[in-house]
Amino acid sequence: MDIKQYDFDLPEELIAQTPLLDRSSSRLMVLDKKEKTINHRRFSDIKEFLKPGDCLVLNDTRVLPARLYGVKEDTGAKVEVLLLHQTESDEWEVLVKPAKKIKVGTRIIFGEGKLAAECTATEDHGGRQLRFEYEGIFLEVLEALGEMPLPPYIKEQLSDSERYQTVYAKEEGSAAAPTAGLHFTKELLQEIEQAGVELAYITLHVGLGTFRPVSVDNIEDHDMHAEFYQVSQATAEKLNRVRENGGRIISVGTTSTRTLETIMRDHGTFTEASGWTDIFIYPPYELKAIDGLITNFHLPQSTLIMLVSALAGREFILHAYQQAVEERYRFFSFGDAMLIL
């Protein structure tokens, strides 16, 4: 399938640079995939589209302050490092810039020696394995020296780093936020629960796949990078119960969707599991785990627009995106939201 089938024109000024003051005041485009209708609302209206007995599935991963700036020990040349995921106790897979300067054995110093790293292996696409050296607790050192790794299309500085975390973020480990969840406030989640909708939490640590563009003409040739996921027994039991009772499972974000679809693909039912997933969802893949999806507006030619196309159909999604551009919706991480039912 040709990657150009997932292209669309996006004016640069529609890429949201800063989050709204009130998380739930973003716009919400509601798609009915059977009736092929489109509704324009506010995110705080989402309660109207959820029914008692439904279940929202939220990814409780927390973004690490994963961007570090250091210097090469031998030359003093500046180096930027983005932590992706932990491979051993003090070893991490990372992206480095400039990658060609970092070879096996290269040492990098951060924070005037508070943190040091040695390159132990090289990977494709600027990837490296670094072994870190420090005193104390690594996450505390990272909090002191690291910066929030905002996506490259966001040029503005973020004054409050918590605005790039969901209000329910708990499990440290992501290189990027599961941005569909950024629209929820604690109050809105409470109102949703009081209306009889269940909340279930899974974890998927967002990694390299978020930053890697599709660089092949035929999307079937694209390799997804693996990301760590975890589903508890309590969540699995809740999801099975909701489905048995006729409730709908509505995934908050593509990360939650990929986790649930991995479980369903591998086990045929919701079950406690953890591991690595490189599932790549695109048409004509038939989603088996979810009945609806809350998501943001994604990049042209991205794996994420392919995933939502698998749920609602490519032509309908591209029509909705055209409307979003015409109606001046805000795109990407700090942008507006879409609900597909």
Side-chain angles (χ1 to χ4, degrees), residues 196-255:
V197 177
E198 300 221 46
L199 304 181
Y201 294 91
I202 58 91
T203 303
L204 182 135
H205 292 319
V206 189
L208 182 61
T210 293
F211 298 94
R212 179 182 288 172
V214 179
S215 56
V216 293
D217 292 332
N218 183 354
I219 65 175
E220 293 165 10
D221 296 331
H222 177 69
D223 290 324
M224 289 288 284
H225 199 83
E227 295 166 314
F228 180 79
Y229 73 89
Q230 193 161 17
V231 175
S232 69
Q233 183 178 346
T235 287
E237 290 175 353
K238 181 179 287 189
L239 294 175
N240 285 323
R241 186 177 69 249
V242 167
R243 180 148 282 181
E244 287 165 10
N245 292 337
R248 297 176 301 174
I249 294 170
I250 296 166
S251 178
V252 178
T254 55
T255 60

Side-chain angles (χ1 to χ4, degrees), residues 1 8 23 33 37 39 45 90 106 150 159 176 184 213 266 294 298 312-313 324-325:
M1 189 179 294
F8 62 93
R23 290 175 182 259
K33 65 179 184 177
T37 58
N39 228 316
D45 298 333
D90 287 322
T106 300
L150 293 177
S159 58
F184 287 99
D266 294 347
I294 298 167
H298 305 296
V325 170

Side-chain angles (χ1 to χ4, degrees), residues 1 3 24 56 77 97 107 124 154 168 194 224 233 242 255 271 279 291-292 309:
M1 189 179 294
I3 185 65
S24 63
L56 285 183
K97 289 197 300 190
R107 288 182 57 81
D124 295 334
I154 294 178
Y168 47 83
Q194 288 171 349
M224 289 288 284
Q233 183 178 346
V242 167
T255 60
T271 188
I279 192 169
D291 305 294
S309 295

Side-chain angles (χ1 to χ4, degrees), residues 65-86:
R67 181 165 278 127
L68 292 162
Y69 296 95
V71 295
K72 288 179 66 180
E73 186 178 57
D74 54 354
T75 66
K78 293 180 179 179
V79 181
E80 180 182 334
V81 172
L82 177 64
L83 303 182
L84 294 174
H85 67 83
Q86 197 170 11

Side-chain angles (χ1 to χ4, degrees), residues 84-121:
L84 294 174
H85 67 83
Q86 197 170 11
T87 55
E88 300 286 344
S89 59
D90 287 322
E91 292 216 9
W92 286 73
E93 182 183 356
V94 304
L95 289 178
V96 295
K97 289 197 300 190
K100 62 183 178 182
K101 301 285 188 182
I102 307 300
K103 299 177 171 58
V104 173
T106 300
R107 288 182 57 81
I108 308 168
I109 306 299
F110 308 92
E112 299 178 342
K114 292 177 184 173
L115 181 66
E118 181 175 330
C119 179
T120 58

